[in-house]
Amino acid sequence: MEAELQQPLLPKKRGRKPKPTLKEEEEQSKSAKESSGRRSHSDAADEKYIQWKSLVPVLYDWLTNHNLVWPSLSCRWGPQLEQSTYKNRQRLYISEQTDGSVPNTLIIATCDVVKHRVTAAEHISQYNEEAWSPFMKKYKTIIHPGEVNRIQELHLSPKIVATHTDSPDVLIWDVESQPNRHAVYGATPSCPDLVLTGHQDNAEFALAMSPAEPFVLSGVGPSIGPRGIYVGHEDTVEDVAFCPSSAEEFCSVGDDSCLILWDARVGTSPAIKVVKAHNADLHCVDWNPHDSNLILTGSTDNSIHMFDRRNLTSNGVGSPVYKFEGHKAAVLCVQWSPDESSVFGSSAEDGLLNIWDYEKVGKKMEHETKSSAPEGLFFQHAGHRDKVVDFHWDAYDPWTMVSVSDDCDTTGGGGTLQIWRMSDLIYRPEDDVLAELEKFKAHVLECSKA
């Protein structure tokens, strides 16, 4: 059953840049040539990427790169399929946003997730950004009606996914029963197993699944109308999230700078409305699965705010507990870790995926040198060279992540998918890490005497 957040009937305003047209690409190219004497953002990004690449063997336990012919605006882990000694096989969902020469698609893939401390450092050092990943294989293609802007899996049934597209409808798919299609020009779209209707306008990115009940949230086959229509935003709803402890409570953010908390048990009006959650449009929101009092928001003001709902009131008053400032462009996605209650990730148009721990704010480690890093930031994935539009923590494999970037601005098309896991020396307790390094040091010294 779907709950709909009513979009205001205002001129549509998007915070995310669309894929450039051929004319726009020509204009961008002309502009770039005219300003060739100035140092470009792309040059700085390339330098940062080269520096990051040299540190890959030190920073990562596992990393694989997969070039995408067409950009994917969403990526989601699915269920675990097989377990073996050195790797586990898992479902992975991505999409293809095309230029119309071939259809847009929803891709169901299988991924071999290498277990912790299995990959040799020599293999990681041979990382190749031009390659297709040997760990990922396409399992099935669904020809999607319109763009796939957001994918969400149904927690209670691993074979069911929902997609948000560039139309008012939300589409439900049974990925096992859907036939495998060949995406060629003129091919008819696949038929969804269910269509959720009710929106009066497009709400292309706001989509969430309840972890406890078969409920779907979205900002604006057989079809089902909405269970409720919730009115409170004055501009486009950009993202929604369920409360992890209640299928009747959820939150939403939008281009009106508001964070709204809703409770379906008491009506369709806002329960709490924070009028100025940021001083700019909000792109994303996530509710802590370990602590239902904590909510994250990300904005075009380049920052992430963490709110404690116990500090919020119905008259719109409420200040964030923390403000995290480590991005240099609009934040597109925030997501709590499924394993660590104080850890979360954020991705942005600056091409970075940052990993934060709010418990580290205000704390200095005993052996830590003076650093200019933002408080709470303890890892930065810089493997993408364009805006990181989505990422997802792997609930079956702690600290493993998938991330996708839309590379249209840097390469003129395509995208990059990366699956990675940072070295456990980065996030384990400091005393444990130092003890292990001392053992390693002793072993090296012993070997050098032989």
Side-chain angles (χ1 to χ4, degrees):
M1 195 74 74
E2 181 190 21
E4 174 194 340
L5 289 173
Q6 183 66 51
Q7 299 285 5
L9 298 177
L10 296 173
K12 188 174 178 183
K13 180 179 70 174
R14 298 299 306 170
R16 295 159 188 156
K17 301 177 196 172
K19 182 175 179 178
T21 63
L22 181 60
K23 183 178 179 181
E24 288 171 337
E25 287 178 358
E26 291 172 350
E27 291 174 351
Q28 289 171 3
S29 177
K30 182 180 178 181
S31 175
K33 289 177 181 177
E34 291 173 350
S35 60
S36 58
R38 298 192 300 269
R39 178 175 176 158
S40 69
H41 168 73
S42 179
D43 292 336
D46 284 344
E47 282 188 18
K48 190 174 186 66
Y49 175 80
I50 292 170
Q51 181 184 25
W52 168 83
K53 189 176 177 181
S54 68
L55 296 172
V56 163
V58 178
L59 296 175
Y60 294 87
D61 179 68
W62 180 49
L63 170 68
T64 186
N65 185 89
H66 190 83
N67 280 352
L68 303 171
V69 176
W70 302 105
S72 176
L73 299 187
S74 189
C75 58
R76 302 295 292 184
W77 289 107
Q80 194 173 81
L81 306 174
E82 300 175 21
Q83 292 185 339
S84 59
T85 305
Y86 299 110
K87 60 187 178 182
N88 297 322
R89 182 158 293 177
Q90 193 168 345
R91 187 75 79 223
L92 183 64
Y93 305 111
I94 60 172
S95 65
E96 291 179 314
Q97 183 192 27
T98 73
D99 62 358
S101 60
V102 292
N104 295 292
T105 62
L106 171 63
I107 302 295
I108 298 94
T110 56
C111 179
D112 289 333
V113 180
V114 177
K115 292 188 176 181
H116 290 243
R117 297 204 168 194
V118 169
T119 309
E122 306 89 75
H123 176 81
I124 298 178
S125 65
Q126 294 168 3
Y127 161 80
N128 181 5
E129 67 269 20
E130 304 299 331
W132 285 22
S133 172
F135 299 98
M136 181 177 158
K137 293 182 180 179
K138 187 182 293 186
Y139 166 72
K140 185 178 288 187
T141 298
I142 293 174
I143 298 180
H144 199 272
E147 299 174 357
V148 185
N149 292 328
R150 186 63 61 89
I151 306 168
Q152 287 284 350
E153 73 284 3
L154 181 61
H155 303 272
L156 301 179
S157 181
K159 66 177 183 175
I160 303 297
V161 298
T163 56
H164 225 330
T165 183
D166 51 350
S167 79
D169 297 333
V170 175
L171 308 181
I172 306 296
W173 307 89
D174 183 332
V175 298
E176 293 299 334
S177 66
Q178 283 286 331
N180 186 28
R181 301 287 303 280
H182 187 45
V184 295
Y185 180 75
T188 57
S190 300
C191 183
D193 295 275
L194 194 64
V195 178
L196 305 183
T197 64
H199 291 298
Q200 303 302 313
D201 198 358
N202 298 352
E204 300 171 6
F205 291 91
L207 182 66
M209 289 276 204
S210 168
E213 299 286 346
F215 295 158
V216 180
L217 276 177
S218 61
V220 189
S223 64
I224 294 180
R227 179 175 179 242
I229 298 177
Y230 299 85
V231 182
H233 283 284
E234 297 177 2
D235 207 330
T236 304
V237 178
E238 290 283 356
D239 202 10
V240 288
F242 274 101
C243 175
S245 60
S246 171
E248 303 292 340
E249 296 176 82
F250 47 94
C251 62
S252 60
V253 294
D255 288 343
D256 55 3
S257 303
C258 293
L259 164 66
I260 300 182
L261 276 62
W262 312 81
D263 189 336
R265 295 166 297 190
V266 297
T268 57
S269 297
I272 296 175
K273 185 173 183 177
V274 182
V275 177
K276 276 288 181 183
H278 290 253
N279 291 320
D281 298 358
L282 275 72
H283 270 333
C284 45
V285 65
D286 197 30
W287 211 314
N288 193 319
H290 310 280
D291 185 345
S292 60
N293 290 311
L294 301 181
I295 298 171
L296 292 172
T297 58
S299 170
T300 57
D301 66 5
N302 308 348
S303 72
I304 302 110
H305 289 182
M306 186 174 82
F307 292 90
D308 187 327
R309 67 169 171 172
R310 292 169 295 189
N311 299 339
L312 306 179
T313 62
S314 58
N315 61 0
V317 176
S319 298
V321 179
Y322 292 122
K323 296 181 181 180
F324 301 91
E325 298 176 335
H327 287 289
K328 296 180 180 179
V331 178
L332 299 178
C333 184
V334 291
Q335 190 180 126
W336 290 100
S337 165
D339 302 294
E340 302 292 332
S341 61
S342 61
V343 173
F344 65 91
S346 64
S347 67
E349 289 185 356
D350 59 7
L352 298 175
L353 202 170
N354 290 338
I355 308 299
W356 310 78
D357 186 345
Y358 72 75
E359 288 188 345
K360 295 183 183 294
V361 174
K363 294 182 179 179
K364 291 289 183 182
M365 297 298 180
E366 182 181 348
H367 302 274
E368 187 177 342
T369 57
K370 188 175 181 179
S371 172
S372 60
E375 282 201 306
L377 178 65
F378 74 95
F379 189 81
Q380 194 169 74
H381 178 64
H384 295 280
R385 285 179 283 184
D386 212 327
K387 50 186 176 291
V388 183
V389 291
D390 200 14
F391 69 91
H392 194 204
W393 297 85
D394 190 345
Y396 292 90
D397 197 273
W399 296 97
T400 300
M401 306 185 77
V402 59
S403 52
V404 288
S405 59
D406 179 350
D407 299 342
C408 290
D409 288 347
T410 53
T411 65
T416 302
L417 179 146
Q418 293 179 342
I419 304 169
W420 53 276
R421 181 171 57 238
M422 72 179 80
S423 168
D424 62 8
L425 298 178
I426 296 172
Y427 59 80
R428 282 169 47 203
E430 184 180 17
D431 291 342
D432 291 354
V433 171
L434 292 174
E436 179 176 334
L437 293 177
E438 278 298 323
K439 289 181 181 179
F440 180 72
K441 177 182 176 182
H443 174 71
V444 171
L445 290 175
E446 188 66 30
C447 290
S448 64
K449 294 177 183 177

